């Protein structure tokens, strides 16, 4: 992953994809997909899902998406007290 993509708000994205099995449409199967993608549009995930619907037999049931920024601003805290020791 290049620093340029990380600075452009790309993040590690995980999608849990539930789909109907082609031979047994009443059963659901899970597929976990993970890649770097840009929220909230998720262009990489959308291309993958377009490929899925176009090329694969198992129709999609649902997709759950989670993302985590990899570069975040540091947390700052204000000191409650200042002590001086001699």
């Amino acid at each position: 992953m290049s620093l340029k993509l990380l600075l452009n708000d790309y993040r590690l994205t995980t999608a849990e994809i539930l789909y109907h099995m082609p031979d047994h449409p009443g059963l659901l199967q899970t597929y976990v997909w993970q890649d770097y993608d840009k929220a909230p549009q998720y262009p990489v995930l959308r291309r993958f899902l377009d490929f899925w619907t176009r090329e694969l037999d198992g129709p999609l049931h649902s997709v759950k998406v989670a993302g985590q920024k990899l570069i975040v601003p540091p947390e700052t805290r204000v000191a409650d007290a200042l002590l001086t020791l001699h």
Side-chain angles (χ1 to χ4, degrees):
M1 182 75 193
S2 73
L3 183 59
K4 182 179 178 182
L5 288 178
L6 292 176
L7 293 174
N8 285 321
D9 203 27
Y10 275 75
R11 58 189 66 195
L12 184 61
T13 303
T14 304
E16 178 188 26
I17 301 168
L18 290 177
Y19 64 96
H20 296 275
M21 294 183 67
D23 296 338
H24 305 282
L27 296 177
L28 292 176
Q29 183 76 20
T30 301
Y31 181 81
V32 177
W33 174 91
Q34 194 171 55
D35 204 344
Y36 293 98
D37 209 351
K38 189 171 185 174
Q41 295 85 15
Y42 298 108
V44 179
L45 176 59
R46 286 181 185 269
R47 280 195 301 273
F48 177 74
L49 293 175
D50 288 343
F51 164 79
W52 184 297
T53 56
R54 189 177 61 250
E55 301 292 332
L56 301 180
D57 291 333
L60 296 174
H61 176 270
S62 61
V63 178
K64 292 181 187 176
V65 180
Q68 175 64 43
K69 279 187 164 188
L70 298 176
I71 296 180
V72 294
E75 292 184 18
T76 58
R77 298 186 315 187
V78 177
D80 292 333
L82 177 62
L83 304 172
T84 305
L85 297 175
H86 293 283

